[in-house]
Structure formats: structure tokens, C-alpha cells
Amino acid sequence: MNILVTGGAGYIGSHAVQRLLRDGHTVVAIDDLSLGHREAIDALTDHAGDRLVFEKASVGETTRLETLMGDHDIDTVFHFAAFASVGESVAEPLRYYRNNIAEGIGLLEACNHAGVGRFVFSSSCATYGEPADEHIPIRENCPKNPVSPYGQTKLDFERILEAWAEARRNADEPVAVTMLRYFNVAGCDRTGILGEDHDPETHLIPVALEAALGKRDGMAIFGTDYPTPDGTAVRDYVHVEDLIDAHVRAMEHMQRNGASTPKAYNIGIGNGHSVREVIDSVRRVSSVDFPVRDEPRRSGDPARLYADSNLVTRDLGWKAQITDLDAIVDSAWQWMQRHPNGYEAT
Ligand code: UFG
């Protein structure tokens, strides 16, 4: 198949490009390189021959994308490109609405012009906000009350996709949409080609690994008074390769089943680890002890978020394969040790 991957040079998008190439597909990757890394694409090009095309482009460049989709006979879009930092979205909401919503609409217009109706969207558990205890583990029908502009943009784009799909269906145009609500994506490609490289890094596992590597002077635990067994926040850490497998299954399912109403699925391993458990894992995997200080809660951080993923198991046969926290952490540790300065120095 021929797949357009937006955000193809980013952490998650590059892992999708790798998997699709490995499966024998042809990939057109676009990225505006504002956050993505050209080096990630270069690392994949060596193995891809002419099955990988990269263009520095943003998802809002409708005419250009329409041409790209037509030229390469694209049949499916994986839409990863987005700003995805919760705290930043609170400080700069307009940037988030412009990038995640307005630019995304440009992409859908290009799909219309090029006649592309199969679409997999990177949504987020941030669409749920702070679920009440009775909704843990979180099912797809849990009330949606995002507490950040980031989460709101993901929920709004889900609604836009639903309206887009209905309009295409009414016009007898082919359409099939899957929306995957990611929990905490972690780890790296276990062949060691791709990694996670954000600037600044704020995510728990890479922050702790940077502390183990001596790149930072220890780290903070944000909140030790949550109503959880050890007082720290609990999250569902899903390995990036498992996450991408869900996209591939969604694409194959949509191809087999033709037109369908948009479906949303939670993508998580189905249980949670506390911040302290993650730090313990990083200490075990790296064999390095590093200083940890207790700090107040980060605003907008829910106490517990983990998925009930039964729906995606039932419909797509997906289940996380890498469920051992140390294995997830180790995959990230291997890459970070070899790339202490991220992609820059490769
Ligand atoms: N944490 C620390 N210290 C750190 C970094 C994080 O204690 O230095 C804590 C956070 O407070 C949180 C947990 O570790 O309790 C996980 O934090 P991350 O920043 O790694 O991830 P989040 O759960 O905040 O964010 C993730 C995704 C977002 C998504 C969000 C939904 O990265 O894209 O889940 O809540 F929106």
C-alpha cells in the first residue's frame, strides 16, 4: 500500500515509517522539521530504496499535499503531525489550535481533492481529562472533559473527522477513519536505529534516563500526595512499536472492511505504573542511582490514567506485546546510551 505519514520525522511518526517500510509498503513522509529530525528519515532511507519519499512540508499545505497524494497514489494517511506538550498548550493555546486543528483541516481538504478516504488519527487519552475513579481503567465511552488545550484539540479533531467521514459517506465517496487514543507512549525501536529526542525533554522515562546518564543533576517527582499506593501518579506506558502495530492493524482492518463509521480505540497495556516504579525501573536497567527530589504536583496531572483496551483487542486483535516495564525502559536506554545528544551527534 502507499501511505502518507505526517510528522514522519518525529518520535512516533518515524517508528511508523520504519514499520511500514519493513512490511513492504511505500511511504511518503512529510514533516515541517520544526520538531522532527531529518536524521531519523536519513537513518531509514538506507534500508528503504525508492519506497521512501520525504518532503519537508506542513500538513496545512493543501495544494502541495494533494499533488503528493496524487503523484504517489496514496490510499491511506497516518496523521501524527501535531504539537503534543500539555503545559505548552496551556501557555500558547492559539499555536495549538492553529497547528493541530487549522493545519489538520488543510490535510483533510487535500484528502478530499486527491480522493483519499482512509485515515488513522493520533488521538490521546488527554481527551478524557481527569476521569472519576469509577471510570478507571478507562473505556472509550468514558466522559470526555479535556483539561488542556492540547487534549481539546485532539477531541475537536476527532469530531471534525466524524463530520468529514459522514459528509464523504453521504456523497458516496470512500471513507474509513480510525482514531487511536494513545496513553503514555514510551521506548524505542529495538534495532537501535530510532529514538526519542525532544527539546526540551519533559517526559518521565527520558528525563529519568538523562538523570542516569548524568545529563541532568537528578530529577523531580511532581506530586507525592496522590491517592495512589505510593503517592505518585500512575500512567499506562505503552511501547512505541506496539502502538504502531495498532495503526497497521487499523489500516488493514479498514482495507478489508471498506467504508465504516469512525471508530476510536484506547491504546495502552491496560495497567499502570507509578512515577516511583518508573524511576526504580530506570535505576535497575541503567544500574545508576541518581538523586530524586519531591516537588509539588504539576497542574493538570491526573492521579491515575490507564486503559481498558478490550475494544481494540476485540475489533483489531491488538494487544500490547511488550508489557514489562524494564523492557520498555531498556529499549530507550540502549538508544540514549549510544546517542547521548540525540540525533544531532549521529
Ligand atoms: N513526571 C515527573 N517528573 C518528571 C516528568 C514527569 O514526576 O520530570 C511525572 C508527571 O507529573 C506525570 C508522569 O510523570 O505524573 C508522566 O508524565 P509525562 O510528562 O511523561 O507524561 P504525561 O502523562 O504528562 O503526558 C502524556 C503524553 C501527553 C498526553 C498525556 C495525557 O505525553 O501527550 O499523557 O495525560 F496528553
Side-chain angles (χ1 to χ4, degrees):
M1 295 173 74
N2 301 327
I3 300 115
L4 177 76
V5 176
T6 77
Y11 164 47
I12 300 175
S14 61
H15 283 81
V17 173
Q18 181 184 47
R19 167 67 192 268
L20 291 168
L21 292 172
R22 206 179 270 161
D23 287 358
H25 299 295
T26 294
V27 177
V28 176
I30 64 161
D31 200 299
D32 68 3
L33 298 179
S34 60
L35 300 171
H37 300 277
R38 176 73 220 214
E39 296 85 348
I41 293 291
D42 293 343
L44 295 172
T45 306
D46 298 344
H47 307 266
D50 59 1
R51 286 189 298 112
L52 173 60
V53 173
F54 176 75
E55 295 260 337
K56 182 175 182 296
S58 103
V59 288
E61 293 182 66
T62 304
T63 311
R64 199 166 156 209
L65 296 195
E66 177 190 344
T67 306
L68 260 182
M69 288 194 232
D71 287 353
H72 295 279
D73 211 9
I74 294 296
D75 41 59
T76 306
V77 173
F78 281 9
H79 180 33
F80 296 100
F83 292 152
S85 172
V86 174
E88 191 181 69
S89 80
V90 176
E92 301 176 77
L94 299 185
R95 273 185 69 224
Y96 273 66
Y97 280 99
R98 178 172 297 284
N99 194 48
N100 296 2
I101 301 287
E103 299 268 308
I105 289 171
L107 171 63
L108 293 180
E109 287 168 342
C111 288
N112 276 347
H113 297 153
V116 177
R118 200 179 297 137
F119 200 98
V120 185
F121 174 54
S122 307
S123 190
S124 170
C125 66
T127 52
Y128 298 113
E130 303 188 29
D133 281 355
E134 69 261 30
H135 293 299
I136 305 285
I138 300 171
R139 292 171 56 187
E140 286 78 359
N141 61 5
C142 170
K144 318 284 177 306
N145 296 304
V147 292
S148 68
Y150 165 70
Q152 190 66 50
T153 64
K154 290 292 175 182
L155 184 59
D156 290 348
F157 205 73
E158 287 193 9
R159 297 286 171 270
I160 290 166
L161 282 169
E162 285 163 359
W164 176 70
E166 189 178 342
R168 285 187 65 87
R169 234 185 354 266
N170 292 340
D172 278 333
E173 286 157 344
V175 67
V177 173
T178 307
M179 307 178 290
L180 301 177
R181 297 186 186 135
Y182 309 170
F183 281 67
N184 285 53
V185 187
C188 303
D189 146 45
R190 286 166 299 164
T191 65
I193 295 172
L194 301 172
E196 181 172 10
D197 180 2
H198 297 119
D199 184 20
E201 188 52 79
T202 60
H203 292 111
L204 177 63
I205 292 177
V207 163
L209 290 171
E210 286 181 6
L213 210 55
K215 281 186 71 184
R216 21 177 113 221
D217 187 16
M219 63 170 292
I221 296 180
F222 299 132
T224 53
D225 58 350
Y226 284 105
T228 57
D230 68 15
T232 67
V234 169
R235 295 288 182 274
D236 183 330
Y237 295 91
V238 58
H239 194 271
V240 64
E241 290 180 299
D242 275 332
L243 173 81
I244 298 306
D245 185 57
H247 291 69
V248 172
R249 284 170 185 267
M251 175 177 74
E252 291 171 351
H253 182 83
M254 291 191 289
Q255 187 196 15
R256 274 196 308 274
N257 293 279
S260 60
T261 50
K263 292 283 281 196
Y265 297 109
N266 287 338
I267 306 297
I269 68 170
N271 65 60
H273 296 286
S274 73
V275 173
R276 284 201 201 284
E277 284 172 344
V278 171
I279 291 171
D280 286 346
S281 171
V282 169
R283 285 178 165 146
R284 256 191 320 273
V285 166
S286 64
S287 307
V288 179
D289 201 0
F290 48 87
V292 170
R293 43 184 202 281
D294 294 351
E295 288 196 8
R297 297 182 184 190
R298 216 168 49 174
S299 82
D301 271 350
R304 291 187 300 155
L305 287 176
Y306 55 93
D308 177 330
S309 288
N310 284 316
L311 192 62
V312 67
T313 305
R314 193 196 71 191
D315 285 4
L316 305 184
W318 181 88
K319 208 171 179 12
Q321 300 301 309
I322 310 165
T323 54
D324 176 52
L325 181 60
D326 286 7
I328 293 173
V329 167
D330 185 58
S331 67
W333 176 236
Q334 297 303 326
W335 193 81
M336 195 178 281
Q337 279 179 295
R338 281 195 302 277
H339 303 84
N341 297 312
Y343 280 109
E344 299 284 298
T346 56

